[in-house]
């Protein structure tokens, strides 16, 4: 499981940073890629990765500001141009209005898609668990921005323990149906009377990963709730230390506030994105250094950077 950043800048693109978009690559888990926000130009960034648009099965939008959605119609249209590949349906989750934005853009531009889009819109009253599959559950909560904006908590379900086939063989269990029984937790007795206890050969279940991806926000209690015990928290850092007042006025956070959220939530790792173009590279190291005084495991991400979870 990896996160690849397709745009890490705030508000407008700069030479170094495109506007907001990231890909949660779940290829090993479910052979799918989920996108979070689609700022303009994100499809050009995708061209520089190994991500195949057809693998993108779900898109989650945090809010309707242009720097988070203007890349969506373009991406959806390009995704259709894979004529020799199977056309697979797509789910879009986001605030009320996202459906009208997408359908209007497609209609007035005369774009026809050879696949279906299923829209899942929500408002203040319909948040909470927005998706559950056999492997993942996704929750959304309202953050504190200048328009309705949400954060997402993606929870992988616990992974079953695995069977230690080598040790079973060594214990004299013939390969075949007995393996299946033991895998299902059943104790078995071998022909020579040896008792095999399934629990001795199955590793303990592993806890699933928790990934928290927030939209634009002031420091908010909802952010902390979404990030409780997260393996990774992706938090905006539009401003730096000392800019708390201006951050508040514009509906954003500083690096210090993001670090406080990570610390309060007991997250394991903090990735800062939505970085203002005002910051030069020496400022970026300062952003990290300052945040690290509050939460040590912090990193300011770059476009195209890939982070393993
Ligand atoms: Zn915004």
């Amino acid at each position: 499981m990896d996160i690849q950043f397709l745009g890490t800048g705030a508000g407008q693109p700069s030479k170094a940073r495109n506007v907001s978009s990231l890909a949660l690559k779940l290829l090993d888990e479910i052979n799918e890629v989920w996108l979070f926000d689609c700022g303009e130009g994100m499809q050009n960034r995708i061209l520089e990765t190994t991500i195949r648009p057809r693998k993108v099965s779900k898109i989650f939008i945090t809010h309707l500001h242009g720097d988070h959605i203007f890349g969506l119609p373009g991406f959806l249209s390009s995704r259709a141009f894979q004529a020799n590949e199977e056309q697979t349906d797509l789910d879009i989750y986001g605030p009320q209005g996202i459906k009208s934005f997408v359908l209007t853009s497609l209609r007035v531009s005369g774009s026809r898609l050879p696949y279906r889009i299923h829209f899942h819109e929500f408002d203040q009253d319909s948040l909470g668990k927005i998706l559950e599959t056999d492997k993942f559950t996704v929750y959304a909560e309202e953050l504190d921005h200048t328009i309705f904006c949400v954060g997402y908590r993606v929870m992988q379900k616990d992974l079953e323990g695995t069977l230690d086939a080598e040790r079973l063989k060594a214990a004299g269990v013939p390969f075949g149906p007995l393996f299946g029984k033991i895998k299902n937790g059943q104790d078995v007795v071998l022909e020579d009377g040896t008792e095999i206890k399934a629990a001795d050969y199955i590793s303990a279940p592993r806890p699933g990963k928790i990934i928290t991806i927030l939209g634009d926000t002031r420091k908010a209690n909802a952010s902390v709730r979404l990030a409780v015990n997260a393996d990774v928290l992706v938090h905006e850092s539009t401003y730096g230390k000392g800019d708390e007042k201006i951050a508040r006025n514009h509906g954003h956070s500083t690096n210090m506030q993001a670090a406080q959220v990570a610390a309060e939530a007991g997250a394991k790792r903090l990735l800062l994105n939505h970085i203002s173009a005002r910051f030069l590279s020496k400022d970026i190291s300062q952003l990290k250094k300052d945040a690290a005084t509050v939460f040590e495991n912090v990193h300011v991400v770059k476009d195209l950077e890939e982070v393993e979870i």
Side-chain angles (χ1 to χ4, degrees):
M1 190 185 301
D2 304 85
I3 292 181
Q4 187 158 26
F5 290 87
L6 303 169
T8 60
Q12 53 190 10
S14 66
K15 280 184 186 166
R17 294 179 189 274
N18 194 26
V19 282
S20 288
S21 185
L22 68 82
L24 176 62
K25 295 161 91 171
L26 303 169
L27 295 169
D28 290 341
E29 291 76 16
I30 50 174
N31 198 23
E32 292 179 21
V33 175
W34 294 359
L35 296 180
F36 289 78
D37 284 339
C38 286
E40 183 187 350
M42 54 80 72
Q43 59 169 323
N44 302 61
R45 280 288 191 259
I46 284 188
L47 292 176
E48 296 175 61
T49 71
T50 55
I51 297 168
R52 295 166 71 183
R54 187 175 58 91
K55 295 275 189 210
V56 174
S57 58
K58 299 188 192 310
I59 299 179
F60 299 84
I61 299 296
T62 62
H63 65 302
L64 302 183
H65 275 156
D67 58 322
H68 295 253
I69 62 169
F70 284 167
L72 194 47
F75 172 76
L76 295 174
S77 306
S78 302
R79 188 180 182 271
F81 284 111
Q82 303 197 312
N84 51 358
E85 298 200 31
E86 183 199 350
Q87 298 289 343
T88 47
D89 290 2
L90 185 88
D91 290 276
I92 297 181
Y93 299 81
Q96 220 151 51
I98 193 66
K99 179 176 181 179
S100 143
F101 168 72
V102 169
L103 294 185
T104 305
S105 309
L106 295 175
R107 191 185 66 244
V108 300
S109 60
S111 312
R112 291 180 69 100
L113 304 182
Y115 57 86
R116 274 176 190 282
I117 302 176
H118 306 284
F119 289 94
H120 309 267
E121 289 188 312
F122 42 72
D123 57 20
Q124 278 94 341
D125 301 324
S126 53
L127 290 172
K129 192 201 288 183
I130 57 157
L131 166 68
E132 181 161 18
T133 70
D134 57 336
K135 303 244 167 93
F136 289 92
T137 312
V138 181
Y139 297 87
E141 249 202 86
E142 184 179 3
L143 302 176
D144 181 12
H145 192 38
T146 54
I147 60 169
F148 177 62
C149 178
V150 305
Y152 293 101
R153 176 179 174 91
V154 179
M155 296 184 73
Q156 183 184 28
K157 294 188 177 169
D158 289 349
L159 301 158
E160 281 178 23
T162 49
L163 194 66
D164 190 337
E166 285 307 311
R167 274 185 52 233
L168 269 186
K169 260 197 276 172
V173 181
F175 190 75
L178 284 184
F179 267 63
K181 281 190 180 165
I182 296 166
K183 175 120 209 308
N184 291 331
Q186 219 177 311
D187 299 337
V188 299
V189 180
L190 303 183
E191 274 174 19
D192 67 1
T194 314
E195 214 187 319
I196 300 285
K197 291 218 173 297
D200 296 343
Y201 295 89
I202 300 174
S203 63
R206 281 177 295 141
K209 304 279 192 207
I210 301 173
I211 305 102
T212 303
I213 298 167
L214 304 185
D216 295 1
T217 187
R218 300 182 180 97
K219 183 171 185 286
N221 290 334
S223 307
V224 177
R225 283 193 295 273
L226 288 166
V228 167
N229 296 332
D231 290 273
V232 176
L233 164 62
V234 180
H235 197 301
E236 70 131 288
S237 171
T238 314
Y239 293 94
K241 188 180 177 179
D243 292 335
E244 278 70 23
K245 193 157 172 244
I246 181 170
R248 163 150 288 281
N249 289 341
H250 289 89
H252 290 292
S253 300
T254 66
N255 57 338
M256 306 310 281
Q257 293 171 321
Q260 283 157 13
V261 169
E264 285 170 30
K268 298 191 179 79
R269 197 170 179 193
L270 171 63
L271 302 176
L272 296 179
N273 71 346
H274 207 266
I275 307 297
S276 163
R278 295 179 289 118
F279 293 121
L280 308 171
S281 68
K282 64 169 184 352
D283 305 320
I284 300 293
S285 12
Q286 196 62 42
L287 275 183
K288 178 192 156 100
K289 229 167 145 188
D290 290 339
T293 61
V294 175
F295 184 84
E296 210 186 333
N297 196 3
V298 58
H299 175 62
V300 183
V301 292
K302 289 194 192 96
D303 279 27
L304 294 175
E305 184 169 349
E306 206 168 355
V307 176
E308 198 182 327
I309 301 166

